[in-house]
Amino acid sequence: MNGSKTGNDEIIGFLNAGPLDPNTEVVVAPPAIYLGSTRSALNDAIGVAAQNCYKVAKGAFTGEISPSMIKDIGCKWVILGHSERRNVFGESDQMVGEKTKHALEEGLSVIACIGEKLEEREAGQTEAVVFRQTEALLGNITDWSRVVLAYEPVWAIGTGKTATPEQAQEVHDSLRKWLAEKVTSDVASKVRIIYGGSVNAGNCKDLAKKPDIDGFLVGGASLKPDFVTIVNANQ
């Protein structure tokens, strides 16, 4: 929940100016009220995502938006299951799965978020939590080419704490092996698993070097020109 017309114009300005690594897919996710204006002003090569959507096309769900509305203004992505949707607004694993199913059926691509809280990590439950959250998605996904998984340890979001590259790689590697068992080895090898949690210009290159980290879900750092440095972390 960040942004204003003036602030967004500044962000759009430095993104359009780049230069951005042409081998890196970039998607930005402003609040819903700014989706249309952002899509209109951004370079076509940069995707635009909603931060959330509901699980049905229309109806008496005041305050919600649907995948068809997101598509209607030219946006092709949605973030679902973000830790704040789960932990602040109480969305269940089942709800995230149902939203994912509907968004994919409507033709959107989905960035599906998973991740553990601090007490869960300290209790040694990281894998159990991440696997449980991903399990709720499996039966709702028929086209994995339009799904990106985002591992975002809740304890590292907005706290200044970051999972070390080794900690992040360990979870990504475990998740990929789990997907090979639960889905197919082809899906496990091809699906993009990105990392989110206090990613910044200072740590992005070390994270990007890890073999199973395919990109980043960037929070506060995406509001600053340093975001261009993060986009170009693989160069």
Side-chain angles (χ1 to χ4, degrees), residues 73-126:
I73 58 170
C75 301
K76 299 179 181 178
W77 288 86
V78 64
I79 299 172
L80 293 174
H82 190 281
S83 62
E84 289 154 14
R85 298 305 312 176
R86 294 176 186 269
N87 299 311
V88 179
F89 298 100
E91 292 186 9
S92 65
D93 295 344
Q94 180 182 350
M95 171 67 82
V96 176
E98 291 171 351
K99 288 183 173 187
T100 299
K101 177 180 175 67
H102 181 59
L104 291 171
E105 288 173 345
E106 289 292 307
L108 289 181
S109 294
V110 173
I111 300 167
C113 303
I114 53 178
E116 82 284 12
K117 293 183 283 190
L118 180 60
E119 58 267 31
E120 292 167 333
R121 170 164 280 272
E122 290 179 340
Q125 297 175 347
T126 294

Side-chain angles (χ1 to χ4, degrees), residues 210-223:
K210 295 300 179 182
D212 289 297
I213 297 177
D214 300 316
F216 305 120
L217 184 69
V218 185
S222 67
L223 306 175

Side-chain angles (χ1 to χ4, degrees), residues 3 5 34 36-37 53 101 105 147 179 181 183 216:
K5 287 192 291 185
Y34 299 122
S37 58
C53 70
K101 177 180 175 67
E105 288 173 345
V147 176
L179 286 169
E181 295 176 4
V183 190
F216 305 120

Side-chain angles (χ1 to χ4, degrees), residues 32-181:
I33 198 168
Y34 299 122
L35 281 170
S37 58
T38 299
R39 180 61 285 167
S40 296
L42 263 182
N43 184 316
D44 288 342
I46 301 172
V48 179
Q51 296 180 3
N52 184 39
C53 70
Y54 199 50
K55 62 180 182 177
V56 296
K58 60 182 179 179
F61 305 103
T62 301
E64 292 287 350
I65 61 173
S66 69
S68 60
M69 294 173 185
I70 296 165
K71 282 181 63 183
D72 195 32
I73 58 170
C75 301
K76 299 179 181 178
W77 288 86
V78 64
I79 299 172
L80 293 174
H82 190 281
S83 62
E84 289 154 14
R85 298 305 312 176
R86 294 176 186 269
N87 299 311
V88 179
F89 298 100
E91 292 186 9
S92 65
D93 295 344
Q94 180 182 350
M95 171 67 82
V96 176
E98 291 171 351
K99 288 183 173 187
T100 299
K101 177 180 175 67
H102 181 59
L104 291 171
E105 288 173 345
E106 289 292 307
L108 289 181
S109 294
V110 173
I111 300 167
C113 303
I114 53 178
E116 82 284 12
K117 293 183 283 190
L118 180 60
E119 58 267 31
E120 292 167 333
R121 170 164 280 272
E122 290 179 340
Q125 297 175 347
T126 294
E127 286 190 359
V129 171
V130 169
F131 294 166
R132 186 199 76 223
Q133 292 171 339
T134 310
E135 181 90 49
L137 300 172
L138 298 189
N140 296 295
I141 297 173
T142 53
D143 182 2
W144 279 91
S145 70
R146 288 191 287 117
V147 176
V148 173
L149 293 177
Y151 169 59
E152 46 158 14
V154 182
W155 50 271
I157 298 172
T159 61
K161 296 180 180 179
T162 313
T164 65
E166 291 71 27
Q167 286 174 318
Q169 165 61 24
E170 183 180 11
V171 176
H172 285 226
D173 177 58
S174 296
L175 184 57
R176 216 176 283 281
K177 290 174 179 174
W178 183 86
L179 286 169
E181 295 176 4

